[in-house]
Amino acid sequence: MTAVNLQTTFSSKDRDVHLERLKSTYFELLIIGGGATGCGIALDAASRGIKTALIEKDDFASGTSSKSTKLIHGGLRYLKQLDLRLVRESGTERAVVNRLAPHLVLPEKMLLPLIKGGTFGKWSTSFGLWLYDMLAKVRRGDKRRMLSRKETLETEPLLDRDKVIGAGYYAEYRTDDARLTIELIKKANQFGAHALNYCKAVDFLYEDGSINGVRCLDTLSGESFDVKARVVISAAGPWVDELRKLNHSIGERRLHLTKGVHIVFPFEKVPVSQSVYFDAPDGRMVFAIPRGKVTYVGTTDTNYKGDLDRVVVTEEDRDYLIGALLTIFPGLKVTRNDVVSNWAGLRPLIHQEGKSPSELSRRDEIFLADDGLISIAGGKLTGYRKMAERVTDKAVHRLQEVLNRQFPESTTSEIPLCKRCIGTNEDVEDYIKEVKSRVVKMGLEESTGWYLVTNYGSQSEDILKSMTQFRRSPEVSLALAEAGFAIKHEMIQTLADFFVRRTGNLYFDIGRVHQMLEPVGQFIRESLEWPDQRFREEMDLMQQYIHDATHYYKTDLI
Ligand code: FAD
């Protein structure tokens, strides 16, 4: 067993190097699960000098961390649950993550319309938003404003004139959850962490009754191998209890999974002026969020007992969201046929007896098993950094005992999640304008500039530069350049890694998936040297992804 954790690149072609290191190194920390939580832990630990490895059974961010509402938000609704600690922590974290990844966590004004007979009155909303700003330490210029009826209708003319009595207008942030996750693991890798996707933890290894590693299955090759580590953390999101069953540590406190669905419309069909957070007829709150060429609407919150590995949208989910949308914007001409794509994810919440899905707390919880396994579940994407810090502190405590060595405190609040960060929010706006004008000159749509910067930040330069090597149309050249970038720097192993998690195209530009599947598929096939059979399987798998993102099932899959 080697003692050093040598740095490698995060190229798809380096997967074997990471695999070999996993087999041959005795790690100090092994993390199971490559969602935002696990990748956040990998960065926290590796940046403290801990010899760290991470395994992910599918792709990074393939679980809940690509299926959220994609907001870095303080959680206004948690005020209703009087969970002030959660509001304070997620509220203040917003500004931290915005500073660390300004191209990926962008300020977003949110409109909260007040409706005759609705859940929120003017005074309670004004007080609630004031408290929210206070707890979240919101900057002066971003503090909430209460709008009159006239101002509200000017801000959002699509609202029902007969019902609107005013609105709250407040600050949140938007992100791309899967891109945030991949930037976390890339950064962790730069600090020396080894991470492998398509590697499943199938059993635990023990020494004197304590866990000292994990038996893994490489799901691409079918090979089994062992990874040794002094401390093992499970950050397996909705699968946390499956692993707790495996080591027989599951007790009274268990997960309670709820499903959340989003549906996507072409922007012209739901042309909201900004994000809106509104009352559904059953008293729940739903978002409508414009993003590039689309507006997405969500979410639902229902108990879930189906297949964890394939979560689909039912007809009931879709109809509930369309009903909510038409209640707040009755003038919209939308039908089921206008929904162009969807996604569904699972919230790994902690069970509380007698509480409905929407009443369950969104706090995180750490479970410590007698055999040493540390599991973390619950929480929010927004709080990933603090969750990572808390759980890494637990691992450090153990490591200090066994290694008799000190580790520093977390410094992730000062580690930017970009190679060359763009700077302030205003700098990001300016850069978007600049890239827009450049891409138009290259024959691409203006909106491509926004797409590139908010997905890749300054890494857009590498992509734009490498476009010139392809003698194809501007659109195809761009897609090939993105695929080349994803191979070189972002460890893609399948077509879905590219079309779903690295680009978000399946959800936000499904037409592009149809157009680019063949050329990008061929390019990735040649680059990764796939045999014919593998290529066919990959194309079939993409067809299943496309099917699920565009179909509505009668019931959940069991
Ligand atoms: P996951 O992302 O699910 O990661 C766990 C990973 O573990 C998975 O990738 C899985 O494949 C892997 N894994 C499981 N078992 C194994 C194994 N045996 N071996 C190896 N790997 C394994 N939060 C916000 O802050 N803002 C929002 O707007 C927001 N909206 C949401 C909307 C919805 C509909 C939902 C469902 C959640 C939302 N959340 C939001 C919550 C947020 O998305 C989650 O808290 C967060 O993504 C959870 O990340 P995670 O890493 O803990 O779990």
Side-chain angles (χ1 to χ4, degrees):
M1 292 265 163
T2 53
V4 264
N5 195 10
L6 293 174
Q7 201 176 329
T8 47
T9 73
F10 216 50
S11 158
S12 311
K13 295 178 183 175
D14 269 354
R15 186 172 186 275
D16 285 349
V17 181
H18 285 273
L19 187 66
E20 284 312 312
R21 293 277 162 76
L22 279 165
K23 288 180 187 170
S24 61
T25 308
Y26 201 138
F27 288 95
E28 286 162 350
L29 177 64
L30 172 65
I31 301 147
I32 305 172
T37 311
C39 295
I41 299 167
L43 175 57
D44 194 307
S47 61
R48 295 192 206 199
I50 298 171
K51 222 183 295 167
T52 303
L54 180 146
I55 52 169
E56 161 55 53
K57 74 178 174 62
D58 198 288
D59 182 29
F60 305 111
S62 59
T64 307
S65 297
S66 53
K67 319 279 178 42
S68 78
T69 308
K70 303 171 196 293
L71 291 172
I72 295 293
H73 63 153
L76 187 59
R77 57 188 289 272
Y78 314 129
L79 264 188
K80 251 182 163 179
Q81 299 172 337
L82 292 177
D83 199 338
L84 301 188
R85 193 202 91 182
L86 186 60
V87 178
R88 188 183 297 115
E89 180 172 300
S90 37
T92 43
E93 272 303 290
R94 296 181 308 178
V96 177
V97 194
N98 168 242
R99 179 166 49 76
L100 299 180
H103 71 281
L104 203 49
V105 179
L106 300 121
E108 175 78 11
K109 286 287 184 214
M110 193 67 72
L111 187 76
L112 179 77
L114 307 175
I115 302 292
K116 270 181 211 159
T119 322
F120 294 104
K122 265 190 186 170
W123 295 113
S124 58
T125 305
S126 177
F127 175 71
L129 289 176
W130 171 81
L131 188 61
Y132 190 59
D133 281 353
M134 274 249 306
L135 291 170
K137 299 198 185 110
V138 169
R139 283 184 288 234
R140 185 184 282 249
D142 274 345
K143 290 206 189 300
R144 68 97 170 82
R145 278 196 303 133
M146 294 305 293
L147 305 186
S148 67
R149 177 177 179 277
K150 183 165 171 281
E151 287 170 318
T152 306
L153 287 168
E154 278 167 10
T155 311
E156 187 46 81
L158 290 175
L159 287 164
D160 189 347
R161 309 188 73 78
D162 296 334
K163 289 199 186 144
V164 167
I165 52 174
Y169 197 59
Y170 65 105
E172 292 285 19
Y173 292 86
R174 69 155 72 191
T175 191
D176 187 291
D177 43 10
R179 292 263 1 137
L180 182 61
T181 305
I182 194 73
E183 294 299 352
L184 283 167
I185 199 63
K186 279 160 70 180
K187 189 56 83 174
N189 177 242
Q190 284 166 24
F191 277 98
H194 287 288
L196 206 63
N197 49 2
Y198 298 95
C199 178
K200 182 175 180 178
V202 289
D203 211 346
F204 292 105
L205 308 173
Y206 292 88
E207 189 180 309
D208 300 332
S210 292
I211 286 183
N212 76 338
V214 163
R215 174 138 311 146
C216 298
L217 175 70
D218 178 345
T219 62
L220 295 178
S221 68
E223 186 199 357
S224 284
F225 62 97
D226 293 346
V227 182
K228 296 299 233 27
R230 294 196 183 269
V231 177
V232 177
I233 294 178
S234 160
W239 294 265
V240 154
D241 278 357
E242 283 195 356
L243 286 161
R244 290 170 77 217
K245 278 181 199 153
L246 202 59
N247 77 333
H248 310 289
S249 69
I250 193 158
E252 290 284 291
R253 302 283 284 163
R254 285 164 188 249
L255 291 193
H256 182 138
L257 302 182
T258 77
K259 186 176 86 165
V261 161
H262 293 81
I263 54 175
V264 183
F265 295 92
F267 178 74
E268 314 80 74
K269 285 284 167 184
V270 186
V272 282
S273 312
Q274 74 291 293
S275 294
V276 187
Y277 189 34
F278 59 93
D279 270 301
D282 61 358
R284 290 190 55 257
M285 298 291 294
V286 171
F287 290 100
I289 301 180
R291 177 176 164 136
K293 297 176 178 173
V294 301
T295 298
Y296 63 95
V297 179
T299 170
T300 58
D301 198 358
T302 50
N303 288 324
Y304 189 78
K305 301 247 183 265
D307 183 351
L308 302 195
D309 292 304
R310 190 162 164 215
V311 188
V312 296
V313 178
T314 63
E315 292 175 349
E316 202 181 328
D317 299 326
R318 173 199 58 196
D319 294 347
Y320 169 87
L321 291 173
I322 295 179
L325 189 68
L326 289 176
T327 307
I328 194 79
F329 303 122
L332 284 181
K333 302 266 177 295
V334 295
T335 69
R336 294 167 179 169
N337 296 335
D338 295 316
V339 184
V340 287
S341 60
N342 67 53
W343 68 90
L346 299 177
R347 299 178 186 84
L349 306 175
I350 311 296
H351 181 71
Q352 293 169 288
E353 209 48 51
K355 293 215 169 173
S356 70
S358 294
E359 288 168 338
L360 290 171
S361 168
R362 266 55 179 169
R363 281 194 188 197
D364 55 282
E365 192 160 321
I366 295 174
F367 304 104
L368 301 175
D370 292 342
D371 61 10
L373 180 69
I374 304 175
S375 305
I376 180 157
K380 304 278 298 166
L381 179 71
T382 308
Y384 82 85
R385 200 189 63 81
K386 292 303 283 182
M387 286 166 71
E389 182 179 328
R390 276 194 282 276
V391 77
T392 309
D393 281 346
K394 298 263 183 235
V396 160
H397 185 72
R398 280 234 189 110
L399 286 172
Q400 280 174 189
E401 275 174 7
V402 285
L403 298 176
N404 198 18
R405 195 170 109 214
Q406 296 299 306
F407 293 94
E409 297 199 332
S410 172
T411 55
T412 54
S413 65
E414 301 305 326
I415 300 175
L417 298 176
C418 18
K419 226 172 171 182
R420 305 174 298 274
C421 280
I422 298 170
T424 63
N425 295 327
E426 291 71 31
D427 295 335
V428 173
E429 287 300 316
D430 289 346
Y431 185 51
I432 291 175
K433 277 190 209 138
E434 186 205 314
V435 177
K436 274 183 176 176
S437 86
R438 276 161 55 197
V439 296
V440 168
K441 285 182 198 142
M442 295 165 84
L444 292 159
E445 281 180 30
E446 193 189 66
S447 61
T448 307
W450 177 87
Y451 161 77
L452 283 173
V453 175
T454 57
N455 258 17
Y456 303 106
S458 60
Q459 300 167 122
S460 309
E461 296 302 326
D462 303 349
I463 292 169
L464 289 169
K465 211 185 285 166
S466 74
M467 268 178 76
T468 49
Q469 66 180 289
F470 302 104
R471 294 175 188 281
R472 308 286 289 265
S473 70
E475 290 79 12
V476 174
S477 299
L478 178 68
L480 298 183
E482 283 180 81
F485 178 83
I487 290 171
K488 196 166 170 197
H489 301 289
E490 302 196 333
M491 193 56 82
I492 57 164
Q493 296 298 330
T494 71
L495 295 183
D497 297 350
F498 178 73
F499 283 110
V500 188
R501 266 89 52 182
R502 304 301 182 275
T503 62
N505 286 171
L506 183 73
Y507 304 142
F508 302 116
D509 198 354
I510 194 160
R512 190 175 190 235
V513 179
H514 289 296
Q515 284 163 7
M516 299 301 159
L517 186 54
E518 187 60 33
V520 168
Q522 290 293 356
F523 176 77
I524 295 178
R525 167 200 202 164
E526 280 164 29
S527 305
L528 299 185
E529 297 172 19
W530 286 342
D532 291 353
Q533 170 72 8
R534 172 79 195 275
F535 179 62
R536 274 194 298 276
E537 284 166 10
E538 284 293 324
M539 291 300 259
D540 288 350
L541 199 57
M542 272 309 295
Q543 291 309 329
Q544 190 195 309
Y545 268 98
I546 293 170
H547 184 273
D548 283 354
T550 50
H551 281 76
Y552 300 88
Y553 290 75
K554 296 272 177 222
T555 55
D556 289 316
L557 304 176
I558 306 293

